[in-house]
Amino acid sequence: MITVAQVVEYLQTPHQVVACGKDEVQKNGLLTLSMLSVVTGCLLGFLLRALELTELEKQYFSFPGELLMRLLKMLILPLITSSLMSGLATMDSNACGKMGLITLTYYLWTTFMAVTVGIILVTSIHPGAAAQKEEYAVAKAALSSADALLDLIRNMFPSNLIEASFQQYRTVLVPVVKTSGFPNSPGKSISFVYFVPDGENPEINRPVLLEITPSPEMTYQTLPGTSNEMNVLGIVIFSATIGLLLGKMGERGIPLVNVCQCLNEAVMRIVSMAVWYFPFGIVFLIAGKILEMEDPSVIGKKLGLYAITVVSGLVIHGLVLLPLLFIIVTRKNPFVFIRGILQALLIALATSSSSATLPITLKCLLENNGIDRRVARFVLPVGATINMDGTALYEAVAAIFIAQVNDYDLDLGQIITISITATAASIGAAGIPQSGLITMVIVLTSVGLPTDEITLIIAVDWALDRFRTVTNVLGDALAAGIIAHICKQDFAPEKVCITLGEKGTGAIVDAPKDINYTYTSISESESSLHPFCTHKDWF
């Protein structure tokens, strides 16, 4: 039997230090390439704006970035299902319940913190005073808050799991024309006679009959419909339920748990290979979005102060409050932890989708920050679905901004209503680009603000959406670190298979709770065993 002391001594041998050093060079090189790709994409986008490319040329130019988004979205479904099922199935039911309660409480608390920061900033800076309202706006019918919340609950229980992988339920408004007419002559048109000067002889007036048909009265009927977006919330709830039940089934559930673990391992290996394409795709993804945006100078005049307010709130919440909470709970340096997930944050900035960033976030937490895989597999998929700190802050700021533009004074009760509805609406926001505009309707209707005024902020939303996605991903990752620290005493130590010496010899030992080891097939002279990385389950 190999002891932990022998493992530590083995890890200190020179060839192991060299192996770890090579991994560090690869990780830092990939991170550097990703950072350069963001800068290159911004510069290339602004330089190409001078060429005034056609829509077709922009579409061709953005194709490599589109491939990046499609690749990431392809991995969302297998990663969420395999992570939740295998992660919850291998945990003790009491520990799982405790972790779930702490996770949900933490997510709700940090979301409410973000909303509070946004309300304080927007009421202090008052960006609506400097904004220019559009002279012409087309009013559109919007769902009520009740219908939007009911849609959220319906999506928690999808009627068809296959359909949930590419569609979600959404109530649609269908216009219905009422029979129009005036009381005196119902259903008949009204005629007017005008005298218009003749074109050849202005002294002669010719009669012109003008028949006026009254405009029809429109009402809207709610009907069930769908939208072409993955129902992540329903898939998360189903996968979590199956995972909990598999854990209670004992030996009968082991085959399916092994399948989920193998699927999760395969997805992570795909991510490890595809990650080298990301710097190339990021360049075209960001440059393509810059080519599509409106004139920056015009946007800056209308919405510059509003954008500064939102970004300031995101910076305060993401770089001050969340790290401070991390320090209080774990007594560790949060910025060392954040450095380990920089790759995921850059992907979030480029893709503007927390769900698409999920594979990279999971990879960074396991390999760079040494988070227990059982914690990461639960906290991250749930967080990518319901933890939307940046979206909640953005919605609160946008709602009060629209009220300021329309000279609508909000009292304390209405501000509290905005804070509560923004917290609730962010939970229902899908982890896809610009999903906050959809749930914004709930916040606006809760205090009687006009929903058609959302058009005021659309011009700058594409950029702010990227910054709030970075905040969402950062919040998920820090939550995994905090919950792993709180629950580390509740999990049994992982079993690790270590092969030392000749090929085929080995033993099972108990790994320390604060260290995760990795095991791969190795030759007689080489080994890939080093701390703070995990690739395979040994329970």
Side-chain angles (χ1 to χ4, degrees), residues 162-176:
I162 305 300
E163 186 182 74
S165 63
F166 58 88
Q167 280 186 345
Q168 60 176 265
Y169 184 95
R170 177 169 296 170
T171 301
V172 295
L173 294 177
V174 178
V176 178

Side-chain angles (χ1 to χ4, degrees), residues 117 121 125 305-318 393:
V117 170
L121 285 178
I125 300 176
L305 196 56
Y306 162 74
I308 291 173
T309 304
V310 174
V311 173
S312 300
L314 296 176
V315 170
I316 292 173
H317 181 73
L393 185 148

